[in-house]
Amino acid sequence: MRQSSLVVVANRLPIDDNQAPDGACEWRRSPGGLVSALHPLLRHTPATWVGWAGGTGPAPALPDVDGVRMHTVALSPEDLRDHYEGFANATLWPLYHDSVEQPQHHRRWWEAYQRVNQRFAEATAEVAEPGGVVWVQDYHLQLVPGLLRALRPDLRIGFFLHVPFPPPELFMQLPRRAELLRGMLGADLVGFQRVQAAHNFAQLVTRVLELPATDRRIGIDDRVVRIGAFPVSIDTAEMAALADRPDVAARAHRLRQDLGDPRQVILSVDRMDYTKGIEQRLKAYSELLASGDVKVRDTVLVQVAMPSRERVGQYQILRERIEREVGRINGEFGRVGEPAIHYLTQPFDRAELAALYRVADVMAVTPLRDGMNLVAKEYVAARVDDTGALLLSEFAGTAAELSQAYLVNPHDLEGLKQGLRAALRADPADSTQRMLAMRAHLHQHDIRAWARSYLHALDEGGALVSRLTSTDAGSDGTARVPRPTTPTGSPAVHQAGG
């Protein structure tokens, strides 16, 4: 069994379900998300990624991808139904997103969650070299740190939660709240997207487990677990270089022509999820059309809504509602050859997304709740001409960093309409000033800053940090290792108590 000094553990492997024509596997690069964040780092260092390949039955043997070893964990149809679709996405996901939908609780889901987390922990214990570093990702695997520590106490274990962590009043609803907290406390470092999430976690540990805790450190047994905020980011230089390519610029020009060469284009790119605020956004746009504030021949909305968790009933119902509303708006306000909304559900490759970002005069990112939302950061990085306006929900983690965006409360329909009007009617000089400030922030706080701040705290400044970040060149061939900072300007590692 080949072992690795760095092991990333996540629910899914970062590969396409289908192989390329030559038989090779490729990285799955969805807009935003975990793969987009970690791919630029792992392609330059020996590492193993432990995860599920996407199907049910025996775990397939997969080749290395960009030098990263793929170690598959098998899921049965029952595991998929009860662990992934059940406890992870029908219990934890809605609860962690402010109970936008009512969380469901079933004992067999919890039993499956335990079973699958144990399987992931055992697989990780097999591939991690002695004294190695393991980085466990997200809410699907909250028990893995504790289970892994029992199997391999020699490992340095990190856990990072990409989604929001709820306030105590919500988390206390969970029947298995103590077990989940203890699972996360198996890590040496627990990272969150925002400072408030770390505070919520510390409060719960004190309240539920009666452990001594601050917003930086928690004492458990004979160990100290450090906690802190590490806002995830993107490969800013890569996205800017991609958007600046002549073929992408030409594609953007053709896309605008295909849209009827409108005066303004509004773009939204989301997973099909009830947390993304798609219905509220469509309602606001519909009312702007009805009031005459927006006219179809001048403005068009492009809504990309990629299918997600299609076997989960709540998501099937959501898709039907959204498609019905899009049809109503186009039927009421569209004209022959001039739809009010271009509604797309197919996946887009990185170049096509970059072209869409370049087309969009206004990017509307208005989730009801989001851990971070990397689409907003990708849009800003892609605006290489320093134009464009970002309409951003106050409840996306990104809002703490990109304060120059047009910030809105997506639950407030009138406020959402007002924000959209302001973005559409913005003075070009003001838009450029806002965009310059946001782009400068992203260039300083890119994916390497995130990795360095987290891994420095986890690995205590060991060789792993240097190998992953100090020599990793940007897309233009120059090394970029900015000093990591939090949105307030303090070193991120200090916030984690490292």
Side-chain angles (χ1 to χ4, degrees):
M1 177 73 65
R2 194 176 83 198
Q3 296 181 317
S4 297
S5 59
L6 173 64
V7 181
V8 172
V9 189
N11 177 63
R12 284 296 302 268
L13 292 172
I15 55 173
D16 286 316
D17 294 335
N18 299 315
Q19 292 183 330
D22 62 359
C25 291
E26 298 174 341
W27 288 85
R28 184 189 342 104
R29 300 293 300 277
S30 60
L34 175 63
V35 177
S36 292
L38 292 182
H39 172 259
L41 306 174
L42 300 183
R43 63 187 178 186
H44 294 302
T45 190
T48 296
W49 190 304
V50 175
W52 170 51
T56 57
L62 296 175
D64 294 359
V65 180
D66 284 359
V68 179
R69 182 188 177 203
M70 300 290 131
H71 187 80
T72 55
V73 176
L75 292 186
S76 67
E78 293 76 22
D79 294 332
L80 178 61
R81 180 192 67 212
D82 295 338
H83 163 262
Y84 179 72
E85 296 173 353
F87 194 80
N89 287 311
T91 300
L92 294 181
W93 177 268
L95 187 80
Y96 284 14
H97 290 82
D98 295 348
S99 293
V100 174
E101 289 282 336
Q102 183 64 36
Q104 301 177 41
H105 306 280
H106 298 286
R107 281 174 289 184
R108 75 171 188 276
W109 288 2
W110 169 248
E111 292 165 359
Y113 189 81
Q114 290 176 294
R115 181 173 67 245
V116 171
N117 273 246
Q118 182 69 42
R119 198 175 304 154
F120 270 82
E122 291 171 354
T124 305
E126 291 179 10
V127 300
E129 70 177 23
V133 174
V134 174
W135 199 355
V136 184
Q137 309 288 329
D138 228 359
Y139 64 101
H140 314 84
L141 305 175
Q142 284 178 230
L143 299 179
V144 167
L147 295 169
L148 183 59
R149 181 163 296 281
L151 294 169
R152 292 285 306 274
D154 61 298
L155 297 173
R156 200 83 176 152
I157 303 170
F159 178 80
F160 188 83
L161 189 69
H162 292 260
V163 299
F165 191 78
E169 292 75 16
L170 285 177
F171 190 88
M172 290 294 287
Q173 297 176 18
L174 284 169
R176 299 295 184 171
R177 59 202 184 193
E179 291 94 326
L180 286 168
L181 293 174
R182 285 194 176 276
M184 296 168 71
L185 289 173
D188 296 287
L189 175 66
V190 180
F192 301 92
Q193 299 278 23
R194 303 187 72 170
V195 173
Q196 183 62 48
H199 176 70
N200 291 345
F201 183 69
Q203 281 190 310
L204 278 159
V205 165
T206 301
R207 183 172 174 180
V208 176
L209 303 180
E210 298 182 346
L211 294 174
T214 71
D215 288 0
R216 295 185 177 185
R217 290 176 172 85
I218 297 168
I220 179 170
D221 301 326
D222 59 347
R223 299 186 298 116
V224 173
V225 178
R226 288 165 296 151
I227 63 175
F230 303 85
V232 72
S233 195
I234 63 169
D235 190 335
T236 308
E238 183 229 21
M239 176 52 72
L242 180 62
D244 206 29
R245 277 177 12 192
D247 62 309
V248 172
R251 177 58 180 154
H253 179 71
R254 290 196 301 273
L255 281 170
R256 197 170 197 100
Q257 289 181 323
D258 292 342
L259 292 170
D261 202 20
R263 187 172 62 86
Q264 290 183 302
V265 175
I266 306 167
L267 172 67
S268 288
V269 178
D270 306 282
R271 282 190 307 103
M272 182 69 74
D273 194 285
Y274 49 77
T275 67
K276 300 301 182 182
I278 301 173
E279 290 179 287
Q280 290 81 355
R281 191 185 310 141
L282 292 176
K283 176 69 171 172
Y285 186 65
S286 172
E287 291 194 7
L288 289 175
L289 288 169
S291 66
D293 286 294
V294 171
K295 300 184 184 303
V296 169
R297 63 184 57 183
D298 296 327
T299 305
V300 65
L301 170 63
V302 179
Q303 173 64 66
V304 178
M306 280 163 288
S308 173
R309 301 165 190 155
E310 294 182 271
R311 288 164 42 118
V312 178
Q314 292 166 316
Y315 289 79
Q316 296 168 357
I317 294 170
L318 174 67
R319 180 169 182 169
E320 291 172 2
R321 289 204 308 258
I322 288 175
E323 291 179 349
R324 187 163 54 244
E325 181 65 4
V326 169
R328 183 195 69 79
I329 294 171
N330 278 334
E332 186 171 347
F333 300 106
R335 296 178 175 84
V336 175
E338 292 183 338
I341 300 172
H342 290 259
Y343 175 70
L344 308 168
T345 60
Q346 68 265 36
F348 291 89
D349 63 26
R350 300 284 289 170
E352 189 78 357
L353 270 176
L356 281 169
Y357 292 149
R358 288 200 58 161
V359 168
D361 302 287
V362 175
M363 183 81 195
V365 181
T366 57
L368 304 178
R369 175 58 108 177
D370 224 336
M372 180 54 60
N373 197 296
L374 298 183
V375 168
K377 293 189 174 185
E378 289 185 341
Y379 173 73
V380 171
R383 301 303 298 188
V384 292
D385 59 357
D386 299 320
T387 64
L390 175 62
L391 183 75
L392 183 60
S393 167
E394 298 171 356
F395 304 111
T398 324
E401 298 182 77
L402 303 182
S403 59
Q404 296 82 10
Y406 293 87
L407 298 177
V408 295
N409 175 1
H411 301 273
D412 175 8
L413 186 62
E414 289 302 319
L416 183 55
K417 289 162 57 179
Q418 183 179 349
L420 188 51
R421 275 194 299 263
L424 287 168
R425 298 171 180 175
D427 177 73
D430 179 60
S431 293
T432 295
Q433 187 175 14
R434 290 170 180 254
M435 188 59 68
L436 281 168
M438 291 189 290
R439 286 174 56 77
H441 175 86
L442 284 189
H443 277 289
Q444 186 179 7
H445 299 82
D446 69 353
I447 183 65
R448 294 166 184 83
W450 174 68
R452 176 175 285 274
S453 63
Y454 185 90
L455 292 173
H456 187 280
L458 174 61
D459 199 33
E460 297 183 323
L464 178 66
V465 178
S466 175
R467 194 164 65 243
L468 277 175
T469 60
S470 64
T471 60
D472 187 16
S475 299
D476 59 358
T478 59
R480 288 185 178 83
V481 191
R483 182 169 181 262
T485 59
T486 66
T488 59
S490 302
V493 68
H494 291 173
Q495 197 166 7

